Short mmCIF file of all heavy atoms in Angstrom, two decimals:
data_model
loop_
_atom_site.label_atom_id
_atom_site.label_comp_id
_atom_site.label_asym_id
_atom_site.label_seq_id
_atom_site.Cartn_x
_atom_site.Cartn_y
_atom_site.Cartn_z
N GLY A 1 -25.82 -51.16 -56.19
CA GLY A 1 -25.39 -50.55 -57.43
C GLY A 1 -25.79 -49.10 -57.52
O GLY A 1 -26.35 -48.50 -56.62
N SER A 2 -25.48 -48.48 -58.67
CA SER A 2 -25.82 -47.09 -58.90
C SER A 2 -26.13 -46.89 -60.37
O SER A 2 -25.69 -47.65 -61.22
CB SER A 2 -24.67 -46.17 -58.49
OG SER A 2 -23.51 -46.48 -59.25
N ALA A 3 -26.89 -45.87 -60.68
CA ALA A 3 -27.22 -45.60 -62.07
C ALA A 3 -25.98 -45.14 -62.81
O ALA A 3 -25.23 -44.30 -62.33
CB ALA A 3 -28.32 -44.52 -62.14
N THR A 4 -25.74 -45.70 -63.98
CA THR A 4 -24.55 -45.36 -64.73
C THR A 4 -24.87 -44.76 -66.09
O THR A 4 -24.09 -44.00 -66.63
CB THR A 4 -23.67 -46.61 -64.95
OG1 THR A 4 -24.46 -47.62 -65.59
CG2 THR A 4 -23.18 -47.15 -63.62
N ALA A 5 -26.02 -45.10 -66.68
CA ALA A 5 -26.38 -44.56 -67.98
C ALA A 5 -26.79 -43.10 -67.83
O ALA A 5 -27.59 -42.77 -66.96
CB ALA A 5 -27.53 -45.36 -68.59
N PRO A 6 -26.26 -42.16 -68.64
CA PRO A 6 -26.59 -40.74 -68.49
C PRO A 6 -28.08 -40.46 -68.49
O PRO A 6 -28.55 -39.63 -67.72
CB PRO A 6 -25.89 -40.09 -69.70
CG PRO A 6 -24.76 -41.01 -70.02
CD PRO A 6 -25.29 -42.38 -69.71
N SER A 7 -28.85 -41.13 -69.35
CA SER A 7 -30.28 -40.85 -69.44
C SER A 7 -31.04 -41.38 -68.24
O SER A 7 -32.18 -41.03 -68.01
CB SER A 7 -30.86 -41.45 -70.72
OG SER A 7 -30.71 -42.85 -70.71
N ASP A 8 -30.41 -42.26 -67.45
CA ASP A 8 -31.08 -42.85 -66.29
C ASP A 8 -30.64 -42.20 -64.99
O ASP A 8 -31.16 -42.52 -63.92
CB ASP A 8 -30.75 -44.35 -66.20
CG ASP A 8 -31.26 -45.12 -67.40
OD1 ASP A 8 -32.17 -44.64 -68.08
OD2 ASP A 8 -30.72 -46.20 -67.66
N ALA A 9 -29.68 -41.29 -65.03
CA ALA A 9 -29.02 -40.82 -63.82
C ALA A 9 -29.96 -40.06 -62.90
O ALA A 9 -29.65 -39.89 -61.72
CB ALA A 9 -27.82 -39.95 -64.19
N GLN A 10 -31.09 -39.55 -63.41
CA GLN A 10 -31.98 -38.79 -62.56
C GLN A 10 -32.87 -39.68 -61.70
O GLN A 10 -33.56 -39.21 -60.81
CB GLN A 10 -32.87 -37.90 -63.44
CG GLN A 10 -32.09 -36.88 -64.26
CD GLN A 10 -32.96 -36.22 -65.29
OE1 GLN A 10 -33.97 -35.58 -64.97
NE2 GLN A 10 -32.60 -36.34 -66.55
N LEU A 11 -32.87 -40.98 -61.95
CA LEU A 11 -33.67 -41.90 -61.15
C LEU A 11 -32.93 -42.25 -59.86
O LEU A 11 -31.74 -42.56 -59.87
CB LEU A 11 -33.93 -43.20 -61.92
CG LEU A 11 -34.95 -43.18 -63.05
CD1 LEU A 11 -34.98 -44.54 -63.72
CD2 LEU A 11 -36.32 -42.80 -62.55
N THR A 12 -33.65 -42.21 -58.74
CA THR A 12 -33.11 -42.77 -57.52
C THR A 12 -33.30 -44.29 -57.55
O THR A 12 -34.08 -44.81 -58.34
CB THR A 12 -33.81 -42.21 -56.28
OG1 THR A 12 -35.18 -42.67 -56.27
CG2 THR A 12 -33.79 -40.69 -56.27
N ARG A 13 -32.59 -44.98 -56.67
CA ARG A 13 -32.74 -46.44 -56.61
C ARG A 13 -34.17 -46.82 -56.26
O ARG A 13 -34.73 -47.76 -56.80
CB ARG A 13 -31.76 -47.02 -55.59
CG ARG A 13 -31.79 -48.54 -55.51
CD ARG A 13 -30.79 -49.07 -54.50
NE ARG A 13 -29.45 -48.70 -54.89
CZ ARG A 13 -28.60 -48.04 -54.08
NH1 ARG A 13 -28.98 -47.69 -52.88
NH2 ARG A 13 -27.40 -47.73 -54.50
N ALA A 14 -34.78 -46.08 -55.33
CA ALA A 14 -36.16 -46.38 -54.92
C ALA A 14 -37.13 -46.18 -56.08
O ALA A 14 -38.07 -46.96 -56.27
CB ALA A 14 -36.56 -45.51 -53.74
N GLN A 15 -36.91 -45.14 -56.88
CA GLN A 15 -37.80 -44.90 -58.02
C GLN A 15 -37.62 -45.98 -59.08
O GLN A 15 -38.60 -46.45 -59.67
CB GLN A 15 -37.52 -43.52 -58.60
CG GLN A 15 -38.01 -42.39 -57.72
CD GLN A 15 -37.53 -41.04 -58.18
OE1 GLN A 15 -36.52 -40.92 -58.89
NE2 GLN A 15 -38.23 -39.98 -57.80
N ALA A 16 -36.37 -46.38 -59.33
CA ALA A 16 -36.12 -47.46 -60.28
C ALA A 16 -36.79 -48.74 -59.83
O ALA A 16 -37.34 -49.50 -60.63
CB ALA A 16 -34.63 -47.67 -60.47
N LEU A 17 -36.77 -49.00 -58.52
CA LEU A 17 -37.42 -50.19 -57.98
C LEU A 17 -38.93 -50.14 -58.23
O LEU A 17 -39.54 -51.13 -58.63
CB LEU A 17 -37.14 -50.31 -56.48
CG LEU A 17 -37.81 -51.46 -55.74
CD1 LEU A 17 -37.41 -52.80 -56.34
CD2 LEU A 17 -37.47 -51.42 -54.25
N ALA A 18 -39.53 -48.96 -58.03
CA ALA A 18 -40.97 -48.82 -58.26
C ALA A 18 -41.31 -49.04 -59.73
O ALA A 18 -42.29 -49.69 -60.07
CB ALA A 18 -41.44 -47.45 -57.80
N LEU A 19 -40.49 -48.51 -60.63
CA LEU A 19 -40.72 -48.71 -62.06
C LEU A 19 -40.56 -50.19 -62.41
O LEU A 19 -41.29 -50.73 -63.24
CB LEU A 19 -39.77 -47.87 -62.88
CG LEU A 19 -39.85 -46.35 -62.70
CD1 LEU A 19 -38.94 -45.65 -63.71
CD2 LEU A 19 -41.28 -45.86 -62.83
N ASN A 20 -39.60 -50.83 -61.76
CA ASN A 20 -39.36 -52.25 -62.01
C ASN A 20 -40.57 -53.08 -61.61
O ASN A 20 -40.97 -54.01 -62.32
CB ASN A 20 -38.12 -52.70 -61.24
CG ASN A 20 -37.65 -54.07 -61.67
OD1 ASN A 20 -37.71 -54.40 -62.84
ND2 ASN A 20 -37.19 -54.85 -60.72
N HIS A 21 -41.19 -52.76 -60.48
CA HIS A 21 -42.42 -53.45 -60.06
C HIS A 21 -43.48 -53.34 -61.14
O HIS A 21 -44.16 -54.31 -61.47
CB HIS A 21 -42.94 -52.84 -58.77
CG HIS A 21 -42.33 -53.41 -57.53
ND1 HIS A 21 -42.65 -54.66 -57.06
CD2 HIS A 21 -41.43 -52.90 -56.66
CE1 HIS A 21 -41.96 -54.89 -55.95
NE2 HIS A 21 -41.21 -53.85 -55.70
N ALA A 22 -43.63 -52.12 -61.70
CA ALA A 22 -44.67 -51.90 -62.70
C ALA A 22 -44.40 -52.71 -63.96
O ALA A 22 -45.31 -53.30 -64.54
CB ALA A 22 -44.75 -50.41 -63.04
N VAL A 23 -43.16 -52.76 -64.39
CA VAL A 23 -42.81 -53.50 -65.59
C VAL A 23 -43.02 -54.99 -65.39
O VAL A 23 -43.59 -55.68 -66.24
CB VAL A 23 -41.35 -53.21 -65.99
CG1 VAL A 23 -40.89 -54.15 -67.10
CG2 VAL A 23 -41.21 -51.76 -66.45
N PHE A 24 -42.58 -55.52 -64.24
CA PHE A 24 -42.69 -56.95 -64.01
C PHE A 24 -44.11 -57.40 -63.67
O PHE A 24 -44.42 -58.58 -63.78
CB PHE A 24 -41.74 -57.38 -62.88
CG PHE A 24 -40.37 -57.72 -63.37
CD1 PHE A 24 -39.42 -56.73 -63.53
CD2 PHE A 24 -40.03 -59.02 -63.68
CE1 PHE A 24 -38.16 -57.02 -64.00
CE2 PHE A 24 -38.77 -59.32 -64.15
CZ PHE A 24 -37.83 -58.31 -64.31
N ALA A 25 -44.96 -56.45 -63.29
CA ALA A 25 -46.34 -56.82 -62.97
C ALA A 25 -47.03 -57.46 -64.15
O ALA A 25 -47.88 -58.33 -63.98
CB ALA A 25 -47.11 -55.60 -62.49
N VAL A 26 -46.68 -57.03 -65.36
CA VAL A 26 -47.32 -57.60 -66.54
C VAL A 26 -46.94 -59.07 -66.69
O VAL A 26 -47.78 -59.94 -66.89
CB VAL A 26 -46.93 -56.81 -67.81
CG1 VAL A 26 -47.50 -57.48 -69.05
CG2 VAL A 26 -47.43 -55.38 -67.70
N GLY A 27 -45.65 -59.38 -66.57
CA GLY A 27 -45.21 -60.77 -66.67
C GLY A 27 -45.79 -61.63 -65.58
O GLY A 27 -46.21 -62.77 -65.81
N ALA A 28 -45.87 -61.08 -64.37
CA ALA A 28 -46.41 -61.84 -63.25
C ALA A 28 -47.87 -62.17 -63.47
O ALA A 28 -48.37 -63.21 -63.05
CB ALA A 28 -46.24 -61.06 -61.95
N GLY A 29 -48.57 -61.29 -64.17
CA GLY A 29 -49.98 -61.53 -64.43
C GLY A 29 -50.24 -62.74 -65.31
O GLY A 29 -51.33 -63.30 -65.29
N PHE A 30 -49.23 -63.17 -66.07
CA PHE A 30 -49.40 -64.32 -66.94
C PHE A 30 -48.77 -65.59 -66.37
O PHE A 30 -48.99 -66.68 -66.89
CB PHE A 30 -48.80 -64.04 -68.32
CG PHE A 30 -49.62 -63.08 -69.13
CD1 PHE A 30 -49.37 -61.72 -69.08
CD2 PHE A 30 -50.66 -63.53 -69.92
CE1 PHE A 30 -50.13 -60.82 -69.82
CE2 PHE A 30 -51.44 -62.64 -70.66
CZ PHE A 30 -51.16 -61.29 -70.61
N SER A 31 -47.98 -65.48 -65.30
CA SER A 31 -47.26 -66.65 -64.79
C SER A 31 -48.18 -67.67 -64.13
O SER A 31 -47.78 -68.81 -63.91
CB SER A 31 -46.18 -66.21 -63.80
OG SER A 31 -46.76 -65.68 -62.63
N ASP A 32 -49.41 -67.27 -63.80
CA ASP A 32 -50.34 -68.23 -63.19
C ASP A 32 -51.20 -68.93 -64.23
O ASP A 32 -52.17 -69.61 -63.89
CB ASP A 32 -51.23 -67.53 -62.16
CG ASP A 32 -52.13 -66.48 -62.77
OD1 ASP A 32 -52.00 -66.22 -63.99
OD2 ASP A 32 -52.96 -65.92 -62.04
N GLY A 33 -50.82 -68.78 -65.51
CA GLY A 33 -51.57 -69.45 -66.57
C GLY A 33 -52.82 -68.72 -66.97
O GLY A 33 -53.63 -69.24 -67.73
N GLY A 34 -52.99 -67.49 -66.46
CA GLY A 34 -54.18 -66.72 -66.81
C GLY A 34 -54.20 -66.37 -68.28
O GLY A 34 -53.18 -66.01 -68.86
#
């Protein structure tokens, strides 16, 4: 895919992936019942 929202267009796919890791890290921290 490619960025389509004007405010997101400056992100590369690799940068979006890195931000995605950071966002999902919080949810993953609770999935083990911690």
Side-chain angles (χ1 to χ4, degrees):
S2 60
T4 56
S7 62
D8 298 338
Q10 299 169 59
L11 285 177
T12 67
R13 183 179 299 126
Q15 288 170 337
L17 177 59
L19 299 186
N20 192 37
H21 274 286
V23 170
F24 272 86
V26 175
F30 287 92
S31 68
D32 64 355

